[in-house]
Amino acid sequence: MYSNQVKATLNNALLKRKCHNVYNNHRLNDFPQTYRPQDVERGWYEVWEKNKYFRPKEEAEKSFTMILPPPNITGTLHLGHALTATIQDVLARWHRMNGASVLWVPGLDHAGIATQAVIEKYLYKTKGIKKSDMSKEQFLEVVNLWKNEKGQVIEDQLKTLGASLDWLRVYFTISDHHNTAVTEAFITLDKRNLLYREKKLINWSSTLGSVLSDIEVDFETLKKKTDLEIPGYDKKVTFGQIYEISYNLKDSHEKLSVATTRPETLLGDVALAVHPDDTRYTQFIGKQVKHPLKEAYLPIIADKGVKKDFGTGIVKVTPAHDEFDYSIAKNHNLEIIDIINEDGKLTDQGGRYKGLPRFIARKKILTDLANMGSLVSVKDHEMQVPRCSRTGDVIELLLKEQWFIKCEEMAARAFKAVKNGSLKLDPAFHEKTWFDWLSETKNWCISRQLWWGHQIPAFYCDIDGKTTWIVARSKEEAQIIVREKLCADVEVHQDSDVLDTWFSSALLPFSSLGWPTKAFNYKKYYPLNLMETGHDILFFWVARMVMLGLELTKELPFKEVLLHGVLCDAQGKKMSKSRGNVIFPENVINGITLEKLNEQAQNSFETGILNQTELKRTLSINTKMFSNGIPHCGVDALRFTLCAHNIKERTISFDIVECEQNKFFGNKILQASRYALLVTDDEPMPTPSYFTPIDLWIRSRLAWMVENVNRQISEHNFSKAVAAIKQFVYYEFCDYYVEGTKLGFKSGDQNIILSHRHTLAHSLEISLRIMAPITPYLCDDLYSKLSNKLSNFKFNNSLLESSYPTVHEVQELRNIPLEKKMSEVIKVILSIRTLLGNVTKKNDVGGIIVVNNADDLKLYLDNINVITAVSKLQNVQIIHAENYKRLDNSICDSFNLNCTVYLVFNDDASLEQAKKNIENKRLKAKKKLEIMVKKHSNTSDDEKVKFQKKISTLEEELKRIPLTAH
């Protein structure tokens, strides 16, 4: 059976076993008894960095390149960032172990609007200082100190998460290099006539004092009257109402009524408009009405754009603050009156309301209209309130001159790239949204009125009383252009505005790799292999990266986009500070008490990150969700939990309970490792020529896992990869195989023992390698410890130096017919466990498995050790049906089995109690089913599907109580 060399090795091993029991406790002296994440994680990141595992391998034949979506420096990382980092790190580690040269570039985003808003809150809350109290230089000094502090915390958080980033390449989106890239991009777009400056209606946030692009405006839908918190107002402001206002017709006693949701803009009205075919008002076209609040008359004009069914069918025209009204004013050559200032207060045109904040002016205007009898009615009205995504401010449309990028041609190319398959979106259902958005893309307003950001490389001067703009790399270059090309000797001044943050971020796939200079070997690493990010920034970022990448580099910046869902809490609500349900990764990793959680929230309030309402909600959520605090779970359990969800869904619900359970999974693997050391010794483990059925089965299932995990990771189906790992490692290997081999190791049969030893060590070794990209700390730590004592564990500093298990490595182990047979054995074990669940005194029962043919008899006899060990039933017999005489003192189960399983009782009282327990389960299941059927019959058609699923589940549960007493 064995060669002479192998026999000699085995004989030495047998001699040692005569001196030492198979359960070698001394081998566990320096091995941990339980899984303690803080011990496992200590020091490993330093090992990985020291050995330069995160740097690209220049000699590798294949490569894989990504950039980390740069976290904003507004604060520290939350679980949403942890999700992104974990997904990307799993891919980076998987590709490295598969032999690829991996470049994964870290970075930080200056986040112009968001950062400036946070710093302003921080300064006012902690020091009572407003931005207006400081010079630009003083303010930027504070921002830079903030950036350095938060940037270091973010880097430490990413390292704690195990993110294997190449820190030598770390970038910051407002660095000198990135400023060069931004300037080059701006100048290139200008040269290609894709850049222009124009006065038009833009989205304005008075809280920020800046323009916003269309996609930075959130539209909050209100069904009825609703009071909203608005920055700068002590009391909530009412929305969701429509006001009907009457106008006196000039030289007539008649009145015309106009419905509006914006009475605060009344003093900016320049006309009333009706549809030319609206027979209610055709006789008034060309006439005038008296303005109710000032000495002025407004013309009544006809325009086909007016909706006859909105309000009264008459609209007031306020061209300086509404897109539709602006178009009417242009068509009819009407005056344009600015009524709202950049600070959100009424302008000099506001008459007696001048200088009032717009929503306070609204209240006063409504009061005055009511007093003069011009306020006809106030009704609830469904409407959409445009709000700043950063501050919650209500957006105003103001007429301002700004810089815009022409997007039509670039959007068409980005559209085509997905349409023809050059660019893949994963999951594919995002394609429809991609096509819809790019089909309707407007020109992009890129000016921002901030201090923090890339100052626009454009300069202006006055020539013959007219402002002229010059796009240039520097003031000196602009001055030369003015003198040489415009023949003028005037001073130039740089635009004080900065560029939209998303403009610089859109360049990152190539600017982070060195574009437009030759730094970092840009040509070697560009384009990226993959862009992975949340689907909520598909248009903010991904579409713009594709548009500018194609325009500026003539290449797609990446060939594939992986979009993950928005992280939500256990109740399915999106995590946000406004909801108070944000979870920080370090609180899951290290654990935290409720008291400390509340202290964190209080500190965020005291530094201006949370307002009073947000603090109150956070404290309430903490008490509701984490009354006992958050348990200490460790990094690997957090990573495993994040990967266990289908990241391709639109939302991902994170539950701390799942994370804690996955920490127990880590302990399960550690205990399996301890078991391997107990039943082995330091001798080499040659491959036996004989394997027991359970060993052959687990080797086959090992091959199944390796094949599945590789395929699922390659297709970015991380939840399916995790499910395959858990199915094999947790259930099949730990629950069935490890338990099922215990009697074999005690049997004294050397063939069985050698088969078990080799299979156990082999399965554990491959399992740790296959889990390494997902749970790197635990796998490196266990593997390093086991490598000192198990001959087949070859370890050199880290599993990052090992190869990832491949299908080729294990394909010969697959045995599907055997798996089908063993599935029957597992069903029998589960059946015995189910029966035993009804038994109080388990020592008083024995088991009989009655089979109907010789093949099944052999199958169960061959696996009697497994059945006995795993079911925890010590006395089990296998009997052919011809030889079985039914016993009265038994209960049985044959549901979904190829045999019948009996529990035989020695005690009548235990038997009767078991029957009673079974009947109680049946009655409970029937009662639940009856209630659900009743609910199903009394519910709407939309709800019937949900209830039918519950009914089907209960019916199946009832079938699974097919226990009959004899």
Side-chain angles (χ1 to χ4, degrees), residues 412-531:
R413 285 198 292 268
F415 183 104
K416 184 180 178 182
V418 171
K419 198 71 175 177
N420 65 22
S422 302
L423 176 63
K424 177 185 176 184
L425 300 186
D426 184 14
F429 64 75
H430 289 296
E431 288 181 5
K432 183 181 183 304
T433 318
W434 178 270
F435 296 141
D436 289 346
W437 188 79
L438 288 172
S439 298
E440 301 173 0
T441 298
K442 298 178 182 178
N443 289 344
W444 178 9
C445 177
I446 55 172
S447 306
R448 298 294 180 269
Q449 290 64 45
L450 305 171
W451 281 352
W452 177 241
H454 290 283
Q455 195 168 349
I456 294 177
F459 303 82
Y460 64 91
C461 60
D462 289 327
I463 302 176
D464 298 329
K466 181 183 176 183
T467 300
T468 300
W469 284 91
I470 302 101
V471 172
R473 290 178 177 80
S474 64
K475 183 176 181 180
E476 292 73 23
E477 185 178 293
Q479 199 76 60
I480 292 170
I481 292 172
V482 169
R483 288 172 185 161
E484 294 181 357
K485 294 186 178 181
L486 302 181
C487 301
D489 190 14
V490 292
E491 187 177 358
V492 298
H493 305 277
Q494 188 169 1
D495 192 340
S496 60
D497 289 351
V498 301
L499 286 163
D500 180 8
T501 299
W502 294 107
F503 181 81
S504 55
S505 296
L507 310 179
L508 286 175
F510 39 100
S511 64
S512 65
L513 299 177
W515 184 93
T517 66
K518 294 181 180 179
F520 302 136
N521 206 347
Y522 151 71
K523 288 186 178 180
K524 179 175 181 178
Y525 296 113
Y526 183 79
L528 305 175
N529 289 86
L530 178 72
M531 172 50 63

Side-chain angles (χ1 to χ4, degrees), residues 133-157:
D133 300 327
M134 310 172 72
S135 68
K136 181 178 179 179
E137 290 70 25
Q138 289 172 323
F139 183 80
L140 293 182
E141 186 178 344
V142 173
V143 179
N144 278 304
L145 289 172
W146 176 281
K147 176 261 174 184
N148 292 336
E149 178 189 335
K150 300 300 180 186
Q152 187 58 57
V153 173
I154 289 169
E155 181 177 330
D156 292 342
Q157 286 180 298

